[in-house]
Amino acid sequence: MKIYTKTGDDGTTSLVGGKRVSKTDVRLEAYGTVDELNAVIGILATYVNNGNDSADIHWIQQKLFCVGGTLATDTSCTCIPEKCLLTADDIVRLESMIDNASEGLPQQKSFILPGGSRGAAVCHLARTVCRRAERNIIAASAVCNVDRNVIVFINRLSDYLFVMSRRTNYLSGTPEIYWY
């Protein structure tokens, strides 16, 4: 099978379910940004050496693929595949990951500038892409049905990435960079 289909040469693409939409459709912007986020988290994974953190990041990447699948599905004619649905348990797991990553970190005294170690800088990059994905998903929710768990999950994920930036600096012995 060839990778190129030529069906998008006119500036359109298909949602899951077959509906053709412009490549500038708000849903494509949302799931395209989620795809970008997943790629940045893939880079982040190369900086994580702890087995539990690596497993958590892999799980997040799997869930982001689910988010993308959910956003790409035209629910007016097709049901979202069950394996793509996010649950309240997924959010609880992410919150637990935030709590675990926060353990032992020094108290935050001020706003923290992005940077420090390379891994922490990648965490910050992922966090900002996550925030953009969240904005795009909310914009998409104005024109199509978006499961609330998707929005909550992405919101929590940006918190996780912030805490992981702090954890990464802490574990590497790199001082955080405080804003004034």
Side-chain angles (χ1 to χ4, degrees), residues 10-13 15 20-29:
D10 64 354
T12 65
T13 192
L15 297 174
R20 304 268 325 155
V21 296
S22 169
K23 290 185 178 183
T24 62
D25 187 281
V26 67
R27 288 180 285 192
L28 271 75
E29 189 62 36

Side-chain angles (χ1 to χ4, degrees), residues 13-119:
T13 192
S14 292
L15 297 174
V16 176
K19 181 179 178 181
R20 304 268 325 155
V21 296
S22 169
K23 290 185 178 183
T24 62
D25 187 281
V26 67
R27 288 180 285 192
L28 271 75
E29 189 62 36
Y31 73 72
T33 307
V34 169
D35 187 33
E36 179 184 354
L37 171 61
N38 211 343
V40 174
I41 290 176
I43 296 169
L44 172 61
T46 68
Y47 288 95
V48 175
N49 298 323
N50 175 301
N52 289 337
D53 291 341
S54 293
D56 289 345
I57 288 171
H58 179 73
W59 178 80
I60 287 168
Q61 287 191 286
Q62 293 287 336
K63 291 302 171 180
L64 286 175
F65 214 82
C66 294
V67 169
T70 296
L71 295 170
T73 300
D74 178 8
T75 57
S76 70
C77 65
T78 305
C79 292
I80 296 170
E82 190 169 328
K83 69 180 180 179
C84 286
L85 296 174
L86 294 182
T87 67
D89 288 343
D90 294 325
I91 294 164
V92 168
R93 178 173 176 178
L94 188 52
E95 289 170 346
S96 176
M97 290 163 47
I98 293 167
D99 294 340
N100 290 338
S102 298
E103 285 181 20
L105 294 179
Q107 183 177 4
Q108 186 177 341
K109 302 171 187 168
S110 178
F111 287 108
I112 298 171
L113 297 179
S117 68
R118 288 182 179 177

